[in-house]
Amino acid sequence: MAVTMVLDHPLVQHKVAIMRDKTTGTKAFKELVKELATLITYEATRDLALRDVKVETPVATANCKMLQGRKLAIVPILRAGLGMVEGVQTIIPAAKVGHIGLYRDPETLKPVEYYCKMPPDIGERDVFVVDPMLATGGSACDAIRLIKERGAKNIKFLGLIAAPEGIAKLRAEHPDVDIYVAALDEKLNDHGYIVPGLGDAGDRIFGTK
Ligand code: PRP
Ligand code: URA
């Protein structure tokens, strides 16, 4: 059974509160997205496999653990997912980065694909799909389908704010994908925006509105 985790850490809740505030400007918003991405990655990497190693300290030999070193990839959903990449890389710097360009048609709310570029060995990598918003779930589901079509098997979704509708759709279409988010909100409004949410994540990260 895949994981669905809403992080309840005090630092996460504090940063989400500031990020939601409509008076928070682009610079601070971008920084918070990055910091939250790091904190979520910390939780989402809890199951990384370890191997035993012996380390010579200045005093004695220590029996330690190090990462087995599976190959990882970060795949942001453009545009807003880009804001999370640096935060994920802070703790998994060796991960390759793929990009998927999707935007939601404002009328149908369905995702429209305009770009897809993956590392050539994506099928051998564990993949972290990142996007701050999981609203209807259409974008995340399509992105994950595109990644699975290229052979990836172990995929996690990392987001900041989710609506119940988005979680339900992602669970139904991709029951194998673990979901990690910083907050689970009440509902979607008639325009497919998360309520209370934080508005348009892409616009707030890139200052386009
Ligand atoms: C936002 C967000 C997600 C999507 C979520 O992107 O970053 O990708 O909406 O909505 P969904 O769950 O209903 O699909 P948007 O389409 O606004 O594009 P942008 O990131 O380029 O602004
Ligand atoms: N995309 C956003 O950026 N915000 C929402 O609330 C829903 C989709």
Side-chain angles (χ1 to χ4, degrees):
M1 181 65 178
V3 169
T4 302
M5 184 176 288
V6 182
L7 275 71
D8 61 358
H9 194 286
L11 285 175
V12 170
Q13 296 190 49
H14 178 83
K15 288 175 191 297
V16 167
I18 304 171
M19 193 177 61
R20 287 185 192 275
D21 190 328
K22 64 183 181 190
T23 66
T24 298
T26 300
K27 185 170 182 292
F29 189 89
K30 228 167 39 189
E31 195 56 33
L32 288 160
V33 169
K34 182 181 143 193
E35 289 169 1
L36 281 163
T38 304
L39 294 169
I40 292 167
T41 304
Y42 175 75
E43 196 56 50
T45 49
R46 190 172 282 283
D47 62 352
L48 285 181
L50 294 169
R51 61 189 167 90
D52 293 319
V53 292
K54 291 198 185 298
V55 172
E56 296 303 324
T57 80
V59 180
T61 302
N63 294 314
C64 300
K65 307 266 185 201
M66 289 184 89
L67 292 173
Q68 267 184 12
R70 273 192 62 78
K71 296 206 273 186
L72 303 175
I74 308 162
V75 179
I77 303 177
L78 308 183
R79 292 176 298 167
L82 285 175
M84 294 177 67
V85 173
E86 212 182 314
V88 181
Q89 284 175 321
T90 301
I91 45 178
I92 46 172
K96 292 272 193 316
V97 182
H99 295 86
I100 291 184
L102 295 173
Y103 71 88
R104 274 198 333 179
D105 181 299
E107 299 299 323
T108 64
L109 300 183
K110 298 271 181 269
V112 181
E113 184 190 337
Y114 61 90
Y115 189 75
C116 186
K117 179 89 177 168
M118 291 293 135
D121 58 353
I122 189 76
E124 299 158 30
R125 291 180 179 270
D126 294 347
V127 181
F128 295 84
V129 176
V130 299
D131 190 328
M133 309 307 274
L134 183 64
T136 65
S139 304
C141 284
D142 269 25
I144 290 167
R145 177 181 52 77
L146 290 166
I147 294 164
K148 283 184 175 174
E149 282 170 6
R150 286 159 176 80
K153 286 178 191 62
N154 189 7
I155 301 172
K156 297 179 193 237
F157 177 85
L158 278 56
L160 301 188
I161 310 241
E165 294 88 335
I167 299 271
K169 186 174 169 70
L170 191 44
R171 270 279 136 273
E173 290 193 22
H174 299 288
D176 55 308
V177 170
D178 292 333
I179 304 171
Y180 298 85
V181 291
L184 176 57
D185 278 11
E186 195 187 322
K187 60 179 183 184
L188 295 177
N189 68 15
D190 293 343
H191 304 286
Y193 273 81
I194 299 175
V195 181
L198 50 73
D200 186 303
D203 283 344
R204 294 197 65 182
I205 291 168
F206 296 108
T208 40
K209 214 175 253 174

